[in-house]
Amino acid sequence: MNIYVLLKKTFDTEEKIVVSNGQIEDDGAEFIINPYDEYAVEEAIKQRDAHGGEVTVVTVGDEDSEKQLRTALAMGADKAVLINTEDDLEEGDQFTTTKILEAFFEDKEVDLILAGNVAIDEASGQVGPRLAERLGMPYVTTITSLEIDGDTVNVEKDVEGDVEKVLTSLPLLVTCQQGLNDPRYPSLPGIMKAKKKPLEELEIDDLDLDEDELEPKTKTVDIFLPPEKEAGRVLEGEVEDQVKELVSLLKNESKVL
Amino acid sequence: MSDKVLVLGELRDGVLRNVTFEAIAAAKKIKEDGEIVGVICGDGDLGEQAQEMIYFGADRVVTVSHSDLKMYTSDGYAQAVLSVIEDESPYGVVMGHTAVGKDLTPKVAARLESGLISDATSIEVEDDEVVFTRPIYSGKAFEKKAIESGLVFATIRPNNIPALERDESRTGEVQSKDVDIKDLRTVIKDVIRKASEGVDLSEANVVIAGGRGVKSADGFKPLYELAEVLGGAVGASRGACDADYCDYSLQIGQTGKVVTPDLYIAVGISGAIQHLAGMSNSKVIVAINKDPEANIFNVADYGIVGDLFEVLPVLIEEVKQLKVAN
C-alpha cells in the first residue's frame, strides 16, 4: 500500500503566545508535530506493518520543518517530503496548502492518506477534506478506528461523542482523532536510522505551480490576545456562606442564573 | 452581486440544532438587508423545520428531501448543497461549526475553490468588508479574518452569536427542491450513541465539569444533579476520562470538545493548560477545588476553596430555592 501522512509543525502546547505587530512571535518557540498528526503517523506505520507498503510523510513548511519530519521517520515512516514555501509565498491559507498538495499528489499512486483532524494552532481542520475533494477521493474525518481488508475499509468515526460505523473503500483520506491509537516515542535506533532515510525537498517550481495560482482566498486582518482576565474572586467564610454569596453573584453580578 | 446569504440548517434526530438559529443571526450580520435563505437537507417532510427557520429570521427556506439524505454523508449533502448554491448564487454561506459543519464545508469550499473561515465567534462589517473573529492557538489568541475574494463562507462556533427571538409572526416561502443524489462512497452502517441524553454539551448554556478530584464515577452524581437543576450538561477533564470516571464523549479540552457556555463550573479540576484550551472562553467560570494553588483559580471569576462533596449539595439546594423563588 502507498500510504501518505500530511503533517504540520505547530507550537508546543505549553508555549506562551506573544503577539507583536499583529503577528504571533515565533522566535525561540518550541515546535512539535501537531498532536493529531502523531495519531496519523502512528496509524500509517501500523497499517503498513499489517498490509505491507511504504509510508511517506509530507509537510508544507519551511526548512525548520525537517525536524518534525525526522521525528516521524524515527517513529518508523519510510520517506519524507518537505515542500518548502519559505522563499516563494508570503501568505497562504487552506486553499493555498490544498492547491500545493493537490499538485504534489497529481502523479502519485495513492491508496491511503492520513492527516490530523485539526491543527492546534490555526485550527481550521480544512486541508484534509479539501484535498480529498480535489483528488476525487472519499474521506472520513475524526476517525477512532481503521480496518482495511483488500479495498474494503471499515472506519469508526467520532461524532461529538457518538460513534458512527462507516463502510467505505480505498483510495481514501482519513483525519485522525484522539483514541485512534497511542503514538509511539521514537526509539534510539529509530532516531539513528531516521538520519539516513530519504528526505526530499521540493519548492513550488518543482510542482509546476506559480505564486499567482496560490493566492490565498482569505486574509488575516489582525491577531490579538484575549483581554487579560481580572484576577478571580476567591470567596471566604463557611461553606454555606460561600455558596450563598456565589449564587447571589451569579444572579446579580454576572446575571447567568 | 447577489445579496443572498444561505444558512445551512442542521438536523439532529429530525430537529434543528440551536446553532442553526445562531447561523441565521450571523447571516444577518454578514448582509444586513440581504435575503436570508435557509437550506435543510433530510428525508421525508421538512416543512415544519423550514417553518421554524422562518420563525427565527430566515426569509425563505429551500428543503432538499431524499432517502439518501436521511443520514449525513459528505457526498450526499455536498451534492444537495452545491445544487442549491448553484441555483441561488449567494453572496455568503454560513453553517454551525459542528461535526457536520466541519466535515461538509471544506468539501464544498474545495469544489467552489472558495475561501472558508472556520469557527468564527463574532462577525463585524468594517467598510463593506465582513470581518470574522476566531480563536487560534487553543483560545490563547484571536485572529480577525476576511475573505479576499469570492464567496463569504464561514462556520460559526455554537453559543457565541445570539439567535434572534423566535417570532411566529414572521413569514416566508418554503420551496422544496429535488436533487439527484448518487454515488455515495461512504455508507453509515450503525451509530452508537454515547453522548449523554438531554442537553448537548457543545451547545449547553451551563456546563458542570468534573476532574480527578471527583474521585469516582459515583462522585459525578452530584454534578449531574446540579446540571439538572441548572438545565445544563456535564463535562469532564481528560484526567477524569482517563481514570474511567466517565466516557470520553464528555471530555473538554484541547483533545476533546471546546465549549463556551454562559456559566462553566469546574469541580475538582486542577486546570491544566490543555483543559483550559477547551473552556477558557466561557463567559463566567466558577472553580470549586480543595487546593487553593490550583491553576483553575487563575482563570475563574469566582472560586470556592473547599471539598466539592460538601459544597455541591449546598449549591444544589441554593439553586433549587432560587428557581422556586423565580
Side-chain angles (χ1 to χ4, degrees):
Chain A
M1 274 213 300
N2 289 321
I3 306 173
Y4 287 85
V5 178
L6 310 180
L7 184 144
K8 185 179 186 187
K9 78 167 157 70
T10 57
F11 266 52
D12 193 333
T13 45
E14 308 282 339
E15 284 287 333
K16 190 171 160 53
I17 303 296
V18 178
V19 174
S20 65
N21 298 325
Q23 300 261 351
I24 301 275
E25 191 65 66
D26 61 4
D27 277 358
E30 282 291 321
F31 285 92
I32 54 170
I33 297 177
N34 175 44
Y36 290 102
D37 301 353
E38 284 189 343
Y39 299 122
V41 175
E42 176 64 34
E43 194 61 26
I45 295 166
K46 278 187 160 165
Q47 296 294 341
R48 176 204 61 198
D49 291 349
H51 303 285
E54 200 172 59
V55 174
T56 307
V57 200
V58 186
T59 198
V60 177
D62 55 30
E63 62 173 21
D64 293 338
S65 310
E66 183 175 337
K67 187 176 163 219
Q68 285 72 37
L69 289 173
R70 290 283 174 206
T71 304
L73 292 171
M75 287 171 74
D78 301 292
K79 296 193 318 198
V81 178
L82 167 57
I83 305 171
N84 189 340
T85 59
E86 203 173 6
D87 297 333
D88 299 315
L89 298 182
E90 275 184 26
E91 281 182 294
D93 66 358
Q94 299 82 14
F95 166 82
T96 312
T97 307
T98 305
K99 193 98 184 163
I100 294 168
L101 290 169
E102 183 186 352
F104 169 78
F105 280 107
E106 200 172 33
D107 61 352
K108 305 284 185 292
E109 291 263 340
V110 179
D111 297 301
L112 179 66
I113 301 176
L114 301 106
N117 85 75
V118 70
I120 61 168
D121 48 12
E122 285 163 18
S124 83
Q126 292 181 23
V127 172
R130 272 183 182 263
L131 180 64
E133 172 61 25
R134 299 307 304 177
L135 298 176
M137 269 187 204
Y139 63 88
V140 184
T141 55
T142 58
I143 70 160
T144 52
S145 163
L146 178 65
E147 278 174 34
I148 300 172
D149 181 9
D151 278 344
T152 305
V153 185
N154 278 287
V155 182
E156 288 185 7
K157 170 180 166 62
D158 167 51
V159 183
E160 299 179 20
D162 293 337
V163 180
E164 266 182 22
K165 298 197 172 207
V166 183
L167 175 66
T168 182
S169 58
L170 297 179
L172 175 71
L173 184 146
V174 292
T175 73
C176 303
Q177 171 67 309
Q178 184 198 14
L180 176 61
N181 54 43
D182 289 313
R184 69 194 70 188
Y185 290 101
S187 65
L188 195 56
I191 294 168
M192 300 308 290
K193 266 195 233 163
K195 290 179 181 163
K196 297 203 185 85
K197 287 183 178 173
L199 189 150
E200 184 185 7
E201 190 170 332
L202 300 172
E203 293 191 4
I204 60 168
D205 279 355
D206 303 316
L207 298 170
D208 289 329
L209 289 168
D210 65 59
E211 289 157 54
D212 297 346
E213 296 171 85
L214 298 172
E215 287 271 327
K217 301 286 182 186
T218 58
K219 62 180 175 191
T220 303
V221 181
D222 192 15
I223 292 180
F224 59 97
L225 296 177
E228 281 278 338
K229 249 193 132 154
E230 279 178 41
R233 209 158 126 192
V234 175
L235 309 177
E236 284 172 9
E238 295 296 313
V239 168
E240 296 243 339
D241 299 331
Q242 290 192 45
V243 170
K244 280 204 162 76
E245 191 182 355
L246 175 68
V247 171
S248 147
L249 286 166
L250 292 176
K251 181 170 188 286
N252 301 316
E253 192 176 273
S254 320
K255 305 197 190 316
V256 288
L257 283 187
Chain B
M1 190 191 285
S2 153
D3 65 354
K4 288 178 205 164
V5 182
L6 300 193
V7 173
L8 308 181
E10 183 180 344
L11 298 175
R12 175 183 274 179
D13 301 330
V15 178
L16 285 164
R17 295 184 70 172
N18 201 42
V19 71
T20 297
F21 308 131
E22 296 169 357
I24 293 171
K28 285 203 187 282
K29 285 177 189 274
I30 290 170
K31 202 86 189 162
E32 209 185 336
D33 302 317
E35 185 192 14
I36 310 300
V37 183
V39 181
I40 303 177
C41 301
D43 184 26
D45 181 22
L46 301 170
E48 214 171 294
Q49 294 91 332
Q51 199 55 49
E52 205 54 35
M53 282 187 86
I54 287 165
Y55 292 156
F56 275 95
D59 298 302
R60 176 160 64 89
V61 176
V62 178
T63 61
V64 184
S65 182
H66 191 289
S67 55
D68 281 343
L69 298 176
K70 188 173 184 356
M71 297 287 284
Y72 166 79
T73 59
S74 56
D75 283 340
Y77 274 54
Q79 286 170 42
V81 167
L82 283 161
S83 167
V84 177
I85 290 176
E86 195 181 328
D87 289 353
E88 304 282 347
S89 316
Y91 168 78
V93 178
V94 199
M95 187 173 187
H97 194 66
T98 57
V100 170
K102 291 176 208 178
D103 197 82
L104 174 64
T105 53
K107 180 181 172 80
V108 172
R111 177 75 67 85
L112 300 171
E113 296 206 289
S114 76
L116 169 62
I117 294 171
S118 313
D119 202 17
T121 53
S122 72
I123 301 170
E124 294 146 31
V125 177
E126 296 169 5
D127 304 329
D128 278 345
E129 186 166 79
V130 189
V131 178
F132 297 86
T133 301
R134 59 188 299 274
I136 52 174
Y137 294 85
S138 311
K140 287 189 267 186
F142 286 87
E143 66 177 352
K144 288 191 172 195
K145 289 206 82 135
I147 297 283
E148 192 79 67
S149 64
L151 186 69
V152 177
F153 194 1
T155 59
I156 57 157
R157 180 180 288 200
N159 249 339
N160 282 269
I161 296 165
L164 309 178
E165 287 281 331
R166 185 176 186 274
D167 181 351
E168 289 195 14
S169 70
R170 291 195 182 105
T171 55
E173 195 188 342
V174 177
Q175 301 161 318
S176 70
K177 177 179 164 59
D178 286 324
V179 178
D180 187 19
I181 305 292
K182 50 180 191 242
D183 302 329
L184 301 185
R185 296 168 299 177
T186 58
V187 179
I188 304 190
K189 307 297 281 185
D190 198 7
V191 181
I192 301 159
R193 298 275 178 197
K194 284 200 168 174
S196 53
E197 298 286 311
V199 184
D200 182 331
L201 183 53
S202 51
E203 290 190 331
N205 289 319
V206 178
V207 173
I208 320 294
R212 278 194 181 275
V214 178
K215 290 195 188 121
S216 66
D218 255 5
F220 267 82
K221 278 184 185 158
L223 279 76
Y224 278 102
E225 208 180 322
L226 181 59
E228 196 175 329
V229 294
L230 287 170
V234 171
S237 72
R238 180 169 185 173
C241 298
D242 282 345
D244 236 0
Y245 302 164
C246 53
D247 193 82
Y248 278 104
S249 62
L250 300 189
Q251 188 188 326
I252 292 167
Q254 188 154 274
T255 46
K257 291 197 171 73
V258 175
V259 297
T260 40
D262 293 336
L263 174 60
Y264 189 89
I265 305 183
V267 181
I269 289 179
S270 62
I273 196 157
Q274 290 80 0
H275 183 72
L276 302 187
M279 49 64 75
S280 62
N281 297 125
S282 302
K283 277 155 214 117
V284 176
I285 299 170
V286 173
I288 301 170
N289 204 302
K290 273 202 305 216
D291 174 10
E293 302 297 318
N295 191 42
I296 192 76
F297 288 115
N298 294 325
V299 297
D301 298 278
Y302 308 117
I304 291 184
V305 178
D307 182 347
L308 66 99
F309 296 107
E310 283 175 35
V311 175
L312 287 184
V314 186
L315 184 54
I316 291 163
E317 277 314 306
E318 281 295 322
V319 174
K320 273 187 188 163
Q321 283 183 19
L322 182 74
K323 297 275 164 186
V324 171
N326 285 353

